[in-house]
Amino acid sequence: MPFLSAALDRVKPSATIAVTDKARELKAAGRNVIGLGAGEPDFDTPANIKLAAMHAIEGGKTKYTAVDGIPELKEAIIAKFQRENGLTYKPNQVIVGTGGKQVLYNALMATINPGDEVIIPAPYWVSYPEMVALAGGESVPVVCTAEHGFKLQPEALEKAITPKTKWIILNSPSNPTGAAYTRAELKAITDVLVKHPQVWVMTDDMYEHLVYDDFTFYSPAQLEPQLYERTLTVNGVSKAYCMTGWRIGFAGGPEPLIKAMAMIQSQSTSNPTAVAQWAAVEALDGPKDFIPKHNKIFKERRDLCVSMLNQANGIRCPKPEGAFYVYPSCSGTMGKVAPTGKKLATDEDFVTELLEAEGVAVVQGTPFGQGPAFRISYATATTAVEEACARIQRFCGNLK
Ligand SMILES: Cc1ncc(COP(=O)(O)O)c(C=O)c1O
């Protein structure tokens, strides 16, 4: 439609939301559907956090706030970065946004000029390349294979860097693979980045707390202080604190960048919801005992998925270090025929036929930058995860 902006030609709708919508439609039509598409914890927001929001409402803390966040939340964020990541920021080096998503978007909008390149290790969160495209930049995906644990190799990074590279987006633990970089693996990456001063680091640490088997998380600027001056450390309360709907994300970074991001935000959405900011103060400053409890359950589900999926014909499922996703390959099912008579040629065929035959909603891997594969979010009841994996086994077993 000529009325619409040409910028729309550069972006695609989110594949994860498309699958969730389709599963919802089938459910509404009475089908027994297990949705493993959505990337949000099934646990409720902890009671103390809800209570802080109620107190904020009762106390009339319901007006506009500073665009980049209330001072109390900035202080809680500064304390979090110091305590958990050994990173020191001042209030003018911190911004609060409407979810991690807005923070990432602000950063790209504030920095990208036409032709600027952004290195994105693949598989990647679907929104990164779309945001880069909207900002007018070029994304440079770098394939990270299952053999390398879906992690960027230093040689591949070195090859991808050009004089036009502006950013690299790192995301550990990763959506969609769950892969998380060990200290040594991350150091190998930061060693390359130190040599290229034009490259800034956007690290999306959203899943920092969701790691299993005694894995220790490191953020790039923490590991390599030489990168501090050109790193934007992005985080939020959505995942670990079960606060996806509250829409609070934040970042720490160099003051001029943060100021530019706040400028974009001031002319678009202004402050994130006041009440949600007060809830986030409680999340960051309050008790965290629910996190290990949730992680114990997430780990059980991860192990269940990995074990059951590896018993499905044609599926290979690596065991990731964190997040609440697994990213199995379905290459062994390509060319086989589904019960509808459809020959599986792509991972989209695989997920469509799986949803049709067994009522299990997963997301095809291709939009994440690597297929044929699919993403399972196991942030849903353990019994549902188990039943879904059994159905996937049956679906694969029935392929001809
Ligand atoms: C890797 C990654 N980054 C950022 C986000 C956005 O988080 P928020 O809900 O805080 O905007 C998500 C949410 O799915 C994510 O998976």
Side-chain angles (χ1 to χ4, degrees):
M1 183 185 177
F3 183 68
L4 300 177
S5 160
L8 284 178
D9 296 338
R10 302 200 291 265
V11 290
K12 297 189 288 290
S14 160
T16 47
I17 291 175
V19 168
T20 311
D21 286 351
K22 195 161 177 191
R24 196 175 296 124
E25 255 172 50
L26 284 177
K27 254 188 197 163
R31 286 278 305 273
N32 171 348
V33 173
I34 304 176
L36 302 180
E40 63 179 344
D42 51 322
F43 306 115
D44 197 4
T45 306
N48 60 310
I49 299 175
K50 290 183 184 173
L51 203 60
M54 289 181 220
H55 285 153
I57 294 173
E58 282 163 2
K61 292 170 176 165
T62 53
K63 303 290 172 63
Y64 290 135
T65 74
V67 166
D68 54 350
I70 54 174
E72 291 82 354
L73 180 51
K74 283 194 171 197
E75 283 308 320
I77 291 165
I78 288 167
K80 173 261 177 297
F81 277 135
Q82 191 71 64
R83 180 178 69 238
E84 296 175 354
N85 310 113
L87 290 169
T88 306
Y89 292 114
K90 295 196 287 289
N92 57 9
Q93 291 183 283
V94 168
I95 183 168
V96 185
T98 302
K101 204 169 200 170
Q102 187 188 25
V103 173
L104 294 160
Y105 187 69
N106 284 341
L108 291 167
M109 291 304 278
T111 55
I112 294 292
N113 290 313
D116 284 347
E117 294 175 0
V118 179
I119 294 176
I120 308 180
Y124 42 70
W125 184 42
V126 286
S127 293
Y128 300 141
E130 308 304 333
M131 287 185 188
V132 169
L134 269 176
E138 305 289 330
S139 49
V140 178
V142 180
V143 171
C144 307
T145 60
E147 288 64 36
H148 287 131
F150 299 117
K151 293 175 207 173
L152 181 61
Q153 300 302 295
E155 313 76 51
L157 170 60
E158 190 76 69
K159 264 197 209 141
I161 294 174
T162 77
K164 287 184 179 171
T165 308
K166 192 145 209 174
W167 286 104
I168 176 170
I169 304 183
L170 291 174
N171 172 220
S172 165
S174 148
N175 178 3
T177 63
Y181 289 73
T182 63
R183 186 190 175 103
E185 287 163 345
L186 188 59
K187 187 70 171 64
I189 297 301
T190 58
D191 282 351
V192 173
L193 294 169
V194 163
K195 293 188 281 175
H196 298 276
Q198 82 279 20
V199 183
W200 283 50
V201 182
M202 195 177 295
T203 178
D204 179 346
D205 298 349
M206 201 58 73
Y207 295 91
E208 162 180 17
H209 290 294
L210 306 183
V211 287
Y212 315 117
D213 307 319
D214 300 324
F215 184 91
T216 306
F217 170 87
Y218 292 93
S219 196
Q222 165 188 25
L223 202 54
E224 180 45 82
Q226 290 185 71
L227 292 176
Y228 175 84
E229 288 298 337
R230 49 183 166 109
T231 296
L232 183 71
T233 305
V234 181
N235 212 314
V237 292
S238 297
K239 311 288 175 171
Y241 297 93
C242 312
M243 292 177 70
T244 45
W246 297 76
R247 312 305 306 129
I248 296 291
F250 52 83
E255 185 184 341
L257 171 62
I258 296 292
K259 204 168 154 194
M261 291 164 63
M263 163 83 102
I264 304 268
Q265 190 163 301
S266 76
Q267 298 297 15
S268 50
T269 59
S270 288
N271 64 274
T273 305
V275 170
Q277 290 189 66
W278 286 104
V281 172
E282 173 62 18
L284 294 179
D285 286 347
K288 301 191 171 26
D289 49 329
F290 58 88
I291 296 180
K293 285 185 196 151
H294 291 174
N295 283 1
K296 187 166 173 284
I297 298 171
F298 281 142
K299 176 186 149 36
E300 279 165 19
R301 293 179 189 164
R302 177 202 62 176
D303 293 345
L304 188 68
C305 283
V306 170
S307 153
M308 288 185 76
L309 292 170
N310 278 321
Q311 293 169 50
N313 281 347
I315 304 292
R316 251 182 318 117
C317 184
K319 185 173 178 176
E321 293 86 358
F324 37 62
Y325 307 106
V326 289
Y327 197 74
S329 159
C330 55
S331 67
T333 66
M334 294 296 101
K336 294 190 177 173
V337 178
T340 58
K342 170 91 183 166
K343 188 169 175 180
L344 304 182
T346 63
D347 50 19
E348 189 171 358
D349 291 344
F350 179 91
V351 306
T352 307
E353 293 302 317
L354 174 65
L355 183 55
E356 192 56 48
E358 295 287 351
V360 175
V362 298
V363 189
Q364 69 274 23
T366 300
F368 297 103
Q370 199 170 301
F374 57 100
R375 186 193 77 173
I376 283 184
S377 164
Y378 53 79
T380 195
T382 308
T383 47
V385 171
E386 189 170 9
E387 168 66 17
C389 289
R391 292 189 196 181
I392 293 171
Q393 287 179 345
R394 189 164 62 203
F395 174 72
C396 293
N398 287 340
L399 294 173
K400 296 275 183 322

